[in-house]
């Protein structure tokens, strides 16, 4: 009976404080899902750190060699896969040669999925890109940062053959490539260890290569100090970084369409934070009085 | 029904199984979780065997053996036996009486990693970052750079002051420490914001999988 009386005395804000968490989950689920149906793309400015990655690719001459290290697995796909696809599009559009590798076992497989997607584009299909001449997938090799270090001396120390088992000496694209001296730009797509930090420590600061990075949003803030010191050419931070890169490329794709959901979800979270704070302070005021 | 379609259905059903925990713990969730853990363990065992053990140890020993047969000597591939020896020591943890021998392997791993990382980490994350904070406070003709550099210098200085506990945080010293706290809070806020974005991205990916790939609703 007393409990019922207490329930009746509860104000609106107090009731909000004891709201079932599942209702909040439901709001977030709707906020995430509903915008996906509208296919609306948000217009957003390209931040300087993303523009730097774009510029780094634009500055390369046709035929330049780009090394892309896929250091993530399927759990980070929503954030990093759109970046991989956009970067491949950019490279192939500018007739750059792409060398793929991975320090994570599933990384090179992610690269194959991205390539499959990119090859569906009419303009890229028309280029009739050949494996071994225009792009190559070296696959995964164990050893984490030691692999990065050994590649600085000779790629063959870590990768005697590509992912298909073909010796590097028999691959036309790899014939002129001995170490990082023959690579014009490296992009590291990373979701943790080994990743961008190891590439900075073992490739940039030892062999002075030009490195750009695409990171999950959790990682991105730790990478920004490397830009200020010139250790990184640019960073694509999380889904937003990927979306900005798509805009810079003038080819909005998945990341841009996802950003509408992202924005609505963030709005709902902010709203809940504000409501929660108002409820907390108003109930505290009542207790004090 | 093609294999791909079956895969999409299994993926979708298991996704719903994991999501069902948000309502409450249930057998469907337990099954999905156990399946995930089991498959992950099996997958990583196979990856470790074929990507690490076979190419890095077994193949090199086979090479050493063939060298011995053909040349009558082994050049350098015998070194992999050292790695194999430490690997066996690690497994001795399973034998309680001589389990202490596994510490040798751990000592080797910790020592090598520390040695390898020390100089690299110190240069990339220490010295270069310190050098990065030594910037001119006034950059003529570039207001953005000037403000940016002032923020970096003040933020670094005050942040360090906050972590200096040998002197009481009072007066000008305390004021600098409070400014340092503000910088730290803003940093944590940015980190939290990015983490929220990352988690939302994963949820978007799953929802896109359910509505776009599985149900083809758009």
């Amino acid at each position: 009976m007393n409990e019922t009386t207490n329930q009746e005395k509860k104000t609106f804000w107090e009731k909000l404080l004891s709201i079932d968490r599942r209702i909040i989950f439901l709001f977030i689920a709707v906020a995430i899902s509903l915008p996906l149906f509208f296919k609306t793309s948000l217009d957003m400015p390209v931040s300087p750190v993303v523009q730097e990655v774009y510029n780094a690719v634009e500055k390369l001459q046709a035929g330049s060699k780009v090394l892309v290290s896929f250091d993530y697995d399927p759990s980070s796909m929503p954030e990093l896969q759109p970046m991989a696809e956009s970067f491949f599009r950019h490279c192939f559009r500018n007739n750059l040669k792409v060398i793929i590798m991975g320090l994570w076992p599933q990384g090179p497989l992610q690269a194959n999925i991205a390539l499959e997607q990119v090859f569906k584009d009419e303009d890229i299909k028309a280029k009739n890109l050949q494996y071994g001449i225009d792009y190559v997938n070296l696959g995964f090799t164990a050893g984490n940062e030691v692999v990065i270090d050994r590649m600085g001396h000779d790629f063959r120390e870590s990768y005697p053959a590509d992912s298909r088992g073909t010796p590097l000496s028999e691959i036309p694209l790899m014939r002129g490539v001995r170490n990082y001296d023959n690579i014009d730009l490296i992009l590291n797509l990373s979701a943790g260890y080994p990743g961008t930090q190891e590439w900075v420590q073992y490739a940039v600061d030892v062999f002075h290569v030009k490195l750009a990075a695409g990171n999950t949003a959790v990682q991105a803030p730790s990478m920004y100090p490397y830009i200020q010191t010139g250790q990184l050419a640019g960073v694509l931070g999380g889904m937003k970084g990927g979306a900005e890169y798509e805009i810079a490329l003038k080819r909005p794709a998945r990341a841009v369409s996802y950003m509408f959901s992202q924005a609505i979800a963030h709005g709902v979270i902010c709203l809940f934070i504000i409501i929660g704070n108002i409820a907390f302070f108003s109930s505290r005021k009542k207790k004090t009085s | 029904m093609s294999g791909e379609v079956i895969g999409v259905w299994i993926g979708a059903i298991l996704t719903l199984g994991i999501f069902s925990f948000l309502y409450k713990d249930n057998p469907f969730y337990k099954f999905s979780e156990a399946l995930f853990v089991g498959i992950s363990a099996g997958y990583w065992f196979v990856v470790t065997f074929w990507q690490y053990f076979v190419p890095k140890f077994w193949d090199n020993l086979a090479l050493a053996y063939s060298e011995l047969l053909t040349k009558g000597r082994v050049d350098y591939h015998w070194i992999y036996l050292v790695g194999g020896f430490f690997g066996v020591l690690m497994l001795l943890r399973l034998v309680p009486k001589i389990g202490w021998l596994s510490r040798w392997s751990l000592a080797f791993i910790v020592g090598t990693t520390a040695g390898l990382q020390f100089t690299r980490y110190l240069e990339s994350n220490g010295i270069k970052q310190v050098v990065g904070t030594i910037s001119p406070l006034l950059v003529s003709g570039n207001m953005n750079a000037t403000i940016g550099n002032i923020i970096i210098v003040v933020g670094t200085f005050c942040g360090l002051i906050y972590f200096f506990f040998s002197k009481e945080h009072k007066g000008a010293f305390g004021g600098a420490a409070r400014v340092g706290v503000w910088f730290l809070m803003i940093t944590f806020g940015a980190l939290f914001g990015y983490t929220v974005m990352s988690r939302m991205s994963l949820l978007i990916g799953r929802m896109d999988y359910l509505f776009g790939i599985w149900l083809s609703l758009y």
Side-chain angles (χ1 to χ4, degrees):
Chain A
M1 184 67 187
N2 274 345
E3 269 180 26
T4 323
T5 325
N6 285 341
Q7 284 283 333
E8 282 166 6
K9 280 179 185 174
K10 270 188 174 179
T11 63
F12 170 72
W13 295 113
E14 282 169 330
K15 279 178 192 164
L16 268 186
L17 274 181
S18 54
I19 195 171
D20 191 334
R21 65 196 168 94
R22 285 172 291 197
I23 294 172
I24 297 171
F25 294 157
L26 192 67
F27 269 95
I28 295 293
V30 173
I32 291 275
S33 314
L34 214 55
L36 290 172
F37 289 86
F38 293 106
K39 294 279 171 200
T40 310
S41 51
L42 291 179
D43 192 26
M44 62 192 95
V46 179
S47 54
V49 287
V50 174
Q51 189 64 46
E52 284 302 321
V53 179
Y54 179 85
N55 293 346
V57 177
E58 282 297 302
K59 279 176 196 163
L60 299 176
Q61 291 181 337
S64 298
K65 292 184 176 78
V66 176
L67 176 71
V68 190
S69 184
F70 279 73
D71 303 336
Y72 67 95
D73 56 16
S75 61
S76 305
M77 266 183 93
E79 286 187 279
L80 300 178
Q81 202 69 6
M83 292 179 198
E85 289 169 13
S86 296
F87 192 77
F88 280 153
R89 279 192 185 99
H90 198 181
C91 288
F92 292 140
R93 197 189 277 179
N94 291 12
N95 298 314
L96 305 176
K97 308 290 180 186
V98 178
I99 301 164
I100 298 158
M101 59 167 282
L103 297 175
W104 288 36
Q106 297 104 326
L109 305 175
Q110 296 301 127
N112 288 341
I113 297 169
L115 284 172
E116 205 177 294
Q117 196 66 30
V118 169
F119 289 157
K120 287 178 187 166
D121 290 12
E122 287 303 321
D123 56 334
I124 290 168
K125 206 190 282 179
K127 288 179 185 284
N128 194 25
L129 300 170
Q130 301 291 313
Y131 182 85
I133 297 170
D134 301 294
Y135 66 97
V136 68
N137 191 340
L138 302 183
F140 161 77
T141 192
N144 302 334
E145 56 268 51
V146 179
V147 174
I148 304 172
D149 186 59
R150 290 177 76 182
M151 285 171 71
H153 303 285
D154 195 336
F155 275 31
R156 283 149 192 84
E157 285 181 16
S158 292
Y159 288 102
D162 72 347
S163 59
R164 301 178 183 187
T166 313
L168 293 203
S169 54
E170 292 174 22
I171 300 170
L173 173 53
M174 296 305 292
R175 272 182 202 143
V177 179
R178 183 162 176 264
N179 52 35
Y180 296 133
D181 290 342
N182 312 111
I183 298 293
D184 300 288
L185 175 69
I186 300 177
L187 177 78
N188 170 236
L189 294 167
S190 154
Y193 170 83
T196 307
Q197 184 168 294
E198 285 67 37
W199 276 99
V200 168
Q201 288 173 350
Y202 290 87
V204 176
D205 290 341
V206 178
F207 299 103
H208 310 290
V209 299
K210 190 168 191 179
L211 176 72
N215 299 103
T216 56
V218 173
Q219 264 193 314
S222 336
M223 299 305 148
Y224 290 127
Y226 292 136
I227 296 175
Q228 203 243 331
T229 53
Q231 291 161 290
L232 274 181
V235 167
L236 311 177
M239 188 174 274
K240 188 170 185 293
E244 288 176 18
Y245 196 75
E246 287 176 2
I247 289 171
L249 204 60
K250 295 184 177 59
R251 213 274 189 190
R254 258 195 304 171
V256 170
S257 69
Y258 283 166
M259 278 311 288
F260 186 41
S261 283
Q262 187 81 252
I264 300 288
H266 279 241
V268 170
I269 291 170
C270 289
L271 199 69
F272 276 123
I273 291 173
I274 292 166
I275 292 171
N277 274 281
I278 293 171
F280 173 74
F281 283 111
S282 63
S283 63
R284 199 171 71 165
K285 197 177 164 189
K286 192 187 161 194
K287 272 181 199 166
T288 323
S289 63
Chain B
M1 196 181 261
S2 72
E4 197 180 340
V5 175
I6 294 170
V8 168
W9 270 83
I10 293 172
I13 290 167
L14 291 175
T15 301
L16 292 175
I18 296 293
F19 277 172
S20 68
F21 183 75
L22 295 173
Y23 182 69
K24 65 176 186 179
D25 203 358
N26 63 78
F28 186 28
Y29 166 75
K30 284 260 193 287
F31 171 75
S32 309
E33 187 195 31
L35 195 68
F36 176 73
V37 173
I39 288 177
S40 297
Y43 178 82
W44 280 107
F45 179 81
V46 172
V47 165
T48 306
F49 184 79
W50 288 108
Q51 304 278 8
Y52 293 73
F53 182 77
V54 171
K56 300 291 175 192
F57 179 70
W58 191 255
D59 287 354
N60 283 305
L61 278 193
L63 213 58
Y65 183 65
S66 72
E67 272 176 0
L68 192 67
L69 289 182
T70 52
K71 297 179 191 170
R73 62 184 166 80
V74 180
D75 288 336
Y76 69 93
H77 286 102
W78 62 268
I79 199 83
Y80 290 94
L81 280 174
V82 177
F85 172 70
F86 278 119
V88 171
L89 288 190
M90 194 72 110
L91 290 174
L92 292 180
R93 288 177 79 92
L94 300 170
V95 187
K97 272 189 179 174
I98 47 171
W100 58 272
L101 281 168
S102 66
R103 289 181 200 157
W104 289 8
S105 310
L106 285 174
F108 183 79
I109 293 168
V110 172
T112 324
T113 310
L116 195 67
Q117 284 278 14
F118 181 73
T119 49
R120 299 285 9 106
Y121 203 88
L122 187 69
E123 188 190 341
S124 303
N125 294 42
I127 295 167
K128 290 227 168 172
Q129 299 308 317
V130 172
V131 171
T133 59
I134 304 169
S135 334
L137 287 179
L138 287 171
V139 184
S140 59
N142 192 340
M143 186 56 86
N144 285 346
T146 303
I147 294 170
N149 287 354
I150 290 171
I151 290 173
I152 286 170
V153 172
V154 173
T156 307
F157 182 73
C158 294
L160 287 172
I161 291 279
Y162 174 73
F163 287 104
F164 190 80
F165 300 116
S166 303
K167 185 175 159 50
E168 203 177 346
H169 289 183
K170 271 183 175 176
F173 194 78
R178 270 193 296 280
V179 174
V181 172
W182 271 96
F183 272 96
L184 289 173
M185 288 303 141
I186 291 167
T187 308
F188 294 146
L191 288 171
F192 179 71
Y194 266 102
T195 305
V196 170
M197 182 163 83
S198 200
R199 302 299 172 237
M200 286 300 129
S201 302
L202 301 184
L203 188 56
I204 291 168
R206 279 294 85 190
M207 290 302 186
D208 188 38
Y209 180 84
L210 290 177
F211 295 120
I213 298 173
W214 180 44
L215 298 175
S216 303
L217 292 180
Y218 49 82

